[in-house]
Structures are given as structure tokens and as C-alpha cells.
Amino acid sequence: SVFSFLLAQEIYPIDYSNAPREYEIAEINVTGAKNYENSVIVGFSGLSVGQKIKLPGDEISNAVRRFWKQGMFDDVKIVADKTEGNKIYLTISLVQRPKITDIRYYGLKKSQREDLESQIGFVRGGQVTKNLENQTIKVIKDYFKEKGYYTAEVSILQEPDNSLPNSVFLDIIVDKGPKVKVRKITFDGNQNLSRWKLNK
């Protein structure tokens, strides 16, 4: 039978019809993490050979959550390849997020691009994560807000780089919109201060 963890992770083939059973991890393999040493991935998982775990239990689901929180992978699965008595053989199966070949800016002047490049989190050779996307959008919007462009819109698109495996061109598209100016300030409920003092 198949047991589905949180975030659709799977461990197979374990019988979950009975009470939790304790297993000793005999082996941990890693697939899909070409840029990392297997020992690094295993260490990050919090699992280790010789460790005793219960299935169902928290150890596997906690390991999966660690990878998701890191944000470097599009998919994470921990699979039981086989069991022999109380021994269990695991594989950590990962799908890495694409690497950035180049970052291309649209809608920015050269000086604006240079100002922003030092502030955003994306770098050539780095990986695309949702957190970095959100951070970059916020940085660019705040940058233009300080200059009076309160309605600036930012889009981040990925275009596959067919010359390299699992790589993308990152397009950052900015529409700064019209500059917003304050034409009039109205105060309600003031009885003690002059309008001049409030404006100041």
C-alpha cells in the first residue's frame, strides 16, 4: 500500500493498516541532486543509517519539510525501496529548481538597473525560488515608490535556456506607471493646530 505524506510525498511499500512499526535505516540513497554531495543531502534530511524510525511517524515527514523550507527543490520524495525484516532502505528523490543563465531587465534605464542589481537576490548561476521572486518584486516596487511611482508593476518570467540543462533566462519586466504627485491635503478633526503646522 502507499502512504501519502503532507505535500503529496510518498513512502512505499509499507503496510499502514496496523499500528506504527519501528524500522532501522539500513541505507539512504539520493537522486536528482547533481550539484550536491549525497552526504550533504542526507545530513540535511536529519536521517542517518542506523537510526530507528517509526512508520507511520514524524521522522520522514519532518525530513520532507526541511527540504521544502529550504526552497531549493521543485519536488521532494522520500521512498522506501524495500524492507528486510526490521531494516528499511530509503531513497531521497529530489527535483532541483532551475539555475539562472542570465538576468534580463525590461523597462529600466541603465542607471536604474545598476541601482537595483545590488539590491535584488537573483544572481547568475543561482537558483530561482519563490521567496527570491517575492523579495525582488518588493525591492523594485519600493525603489520606484520612493521616486513617486506608486503604481509600478513588476513581472518575473522564466525562459528555458535550451543550451544548458535545467537552466533559464530570468526576465524582470518593469512598468513603472505614471508618477504620482500630491495636489491637495485635507485635514479632518483638527481643532488645536494651524493648517500651516499640520502641513509642515
Side-chain angles (χ1 to χ4, degrees):
S1 62
V2 177
F3 178 81
S4 294
F5 287 99
L6 182 67
L7 299 173
Q9 307 315 309
E10 297 176 352
I11 185 165
Y12 174 85
I14 305 297
D15 181 5
Y16 288 91
S17 60
N18 299 315
R21 180 177 173 182
E22 187 174 79
Y23 291 89
E24 181 181 332
I25 300 176
E27 184 177 71
I28 305 175
N29 293 309
V30 178
T31 64
K34 296 178 181 178
N35 299 324
Y36 301 90
E37 294 290 336
N38 286 1
S39 59
V40 172
I41 296 296
V42 172
F44 185 80
S45 74
L47 302 171
S48 60
V49 173
Q51 178 184 353
K52 292 183 179 179
I53 62 174
K54 287 184 178 180
L55 295 176
D58 294 333
E59 294 91 349
I60 298 295
S61 54
N62 287 341
V64 170
R65 288 190 187 98
R66 288 188 189 97
F67 287 108
W68 279 113
K69 285 180 180 178
Q70 190 188 36
M72 304 302 289
F73 303 97
D74 274 332
D75 192 28
V76 182
K77 292 180 183 177
I78 297 180
V79 179
D81 298 315
K82 64 178 179 178
T83 59
E84 294 178 348
N86 72 329
K87 304 283 188 181
I88 190 167
Y89 296 74
L90 301 176
T91 293
I92 300 172
S93 178
L94 305 170
V95 177
Q96 289 184 230
R97 294 188 184 276
K99 281 194 169 187
I100 302 170
T101 298
D102 195 13
I103 305 169
R104 305 182 298 200
Y105 297 87
Y106 299 90
L108 296 177
K109 295 178 180 178
K110 183 180 179 181
S111 59
Q112 294 169 337
R113 188 196 71 209
E114 290 173 348
D115 287 344
L116 288 166
E117 278 181 328
S118 62
Q119 300 179 49
I120 66 174
F122 288 120
V123 293
R124 292 178 182 85
Q127 288 180 303
V128 181
T129 69
K130 195 62 182 177
N131 285 342
L132 281 178
E133 283 189 13
N134 293 336
Q135 176 188 330
T136 297
I137 289 171
K138 184 179 185 304
V139 165
I140 295 174
K141 284 188 172 183
D142 288 347
Y143 174 84
F144 282 103
K145 188 174 181 180
E146 289 179 1
K147 298 181 179 300
Y149 296 91
Y150 286 81
T151 60
E153 293 294 331
V154 182
S155 300
I156 298 179
L157 305 177
Q158 299 178 37
E159 181 183 333
D161 179 359
N162 296 325
S163 65
L164 293 171
N166 198 35
S167 298
V168 295
F169 294 103
L170 201 66
D171 294 338
I172 299 177
I173 304 164
V174 180
D175 179 4
K176 66 182 181 181
K179 194 166 189 177
V180 177
K181 295 182 179 180
V182 178
R183 296 189 181 278
K184 183 179 180 180
I185 301 175
T186 302
F187 299 99
D188 290 326
N190 170 56
Q191 296 177 349
N192 300 318
L193 298 174
S194 68
R195 181 181 177 81
W196 178 82
K197 287 185 177 179
L198 288 173
N199 277 331
K200 187 176 180 181

